[in-house]
Amino acid sequence: MTTTAVTENGAALALTGVSRTYGGGTPALDGVDLVVPRGRFVAVMGRSGSGKSTLLRCAAGLERPTAGRVRIGGTDLATLKAAGLTRLRRDRIGFVFQSLNLVSALNVRENVTLPLLLAGAREGRALDARALAGLDAVGLADRAEDRPESLSGGQRQRVAIARALVNEPEVVFADEPTAALDPVTAAGVLALLRRAVDERGRTVVLVTHDPVAATWADEAVFLDRGRIAGRLDHPDEAGVREALGARAAAGRHLAVAR
């Protein structure tokens, strides 16, 4: 990446000077600049309290920043009222969370079609075909009529990915999607996100604490006390662990100095 001013045009996601403070305390985010080009997989990392989840919520329009600007595909989120933000999240963003948020009253196919129905699509064969194509891409077309509770944790996460991708979003935000999964299942989930980038041109922003998960990304961005403290292109596990260790050591030294 070059500078924010150069790369922001045409970016999938751009944060400029974004800060978020709760109740007048220490900022959870403090002047963050981040540009994510289209078709890129970025992992956001940092120790607990570094601002990772706050960054995701502000970037996805789930919270308003205290200061700064967030743009998705050229749209400044500050110009949107509540209804406009809801439409943007529904039509242009995909979400994959650790908690999954699958609807237990719906079967797998119905869970995948839900974003399309909320966007105004009509029920019918065309809608079902899109859902089945999405489920086929994650290897679960044969479980379309099953309820989510009959699936394993990894299978439910794959359904969540199919649902996140069904409306062909500009950005997919994934918040610790593999935290509750075993290493083999986690690798399968991350491979699906990687394929969404490589084969479908999607943009993925992954919040994770896991150095292994970060190796699937094109870039790792490290947060410390609400600020971007470093970046690593084509991250490998050793490099990520070293960067996280350096950030943790800096935090301990700061605490001692205080």
Side-chain angles (χ1 to χ4, degrees), residues 141-160:
D142 61 334
R143 306 298 299 272
E145 303 306 314
D146 293 344
R147 298 286 181 176
E149 59 267 25
S150 71
L151 305 180
S152 69
Q155 288 171 328
R156 289 196 296 272
Q157 195 59 282
R158 285 151 61 190
V159 173

Side-chain angles (χ1 to χ4, degrees), residues 200-226:
R200 302 175 65 175
R202 302 276 75 85
T203 302
V204 174
V205 177
L206 168 72
V207 168
T208 182
H209 70 281
D210 182 5
V212 176
T215 64
W216 291 85
D218 299 307
E219 178 185 18
V221 175
F222 300 94
L223 289 182
D224 186 28
R225 296 185 295 277

Side-chain angles (χ1 to χ4, degrees), residues 58-184:
C58 288
L62 297 170
E63 289 187 12
R64 300 267 191 187
T66 307
R69 183 178 68 177
V70 178
R71 297 174 69 89
I72 289 180
T75 299
D76 187 342
L77 271 56
T79 66
L80 302 177
K81 296 182 179 180
L85 272 176
T86 297
R87 284 192 297 272
L88 180 137
R89 290 193 299 265
R90 182 189 67 201
D91 299 340
R92 299 169 60 186
I93 294 176
F95 295 99
V96 183
F97 295 122
Q98 181 182 347
S99 58
L100 300 178
N101 296 324
L102 298 179
V103 181
S104 60
L106 302 178
N107 64 30
V108 167
R109 173 182 50 78
E110 291 166 336
N111 266 279
V112 174
T113 60
L114 190 57
L116 300 173
L117 291 171
L118 293 174
R122 293 184 178 181
E123 293 189 57
R125 291 182 180 178
L127 193 69
D128 289 343
R130 287 184 65 176
L132 289 172
L135 287 169
D136 185 59
V138 300
L140 288 174
D142 61 334
R143 306 298 299 272
E145 303 306 314
D146 293 344
R147 298 286 181 176
E149 59 267 25
S150 71
L151 305 180
S152 69
Q155 288 171 328
R156 289 196 296 272
Q157 195 59 282
R158 285 151 61 190
V159 173
I161 291 174
R163 183 181 62 185
L165 295 173
V166 72
N167 63 346
E168 300 183 353
E170 294 178 43
V171 186
V172 175
F173 291 100
D175 190 5
E176 300 282 8
T178 61
L181 304 178
D182 65 83
V184 173

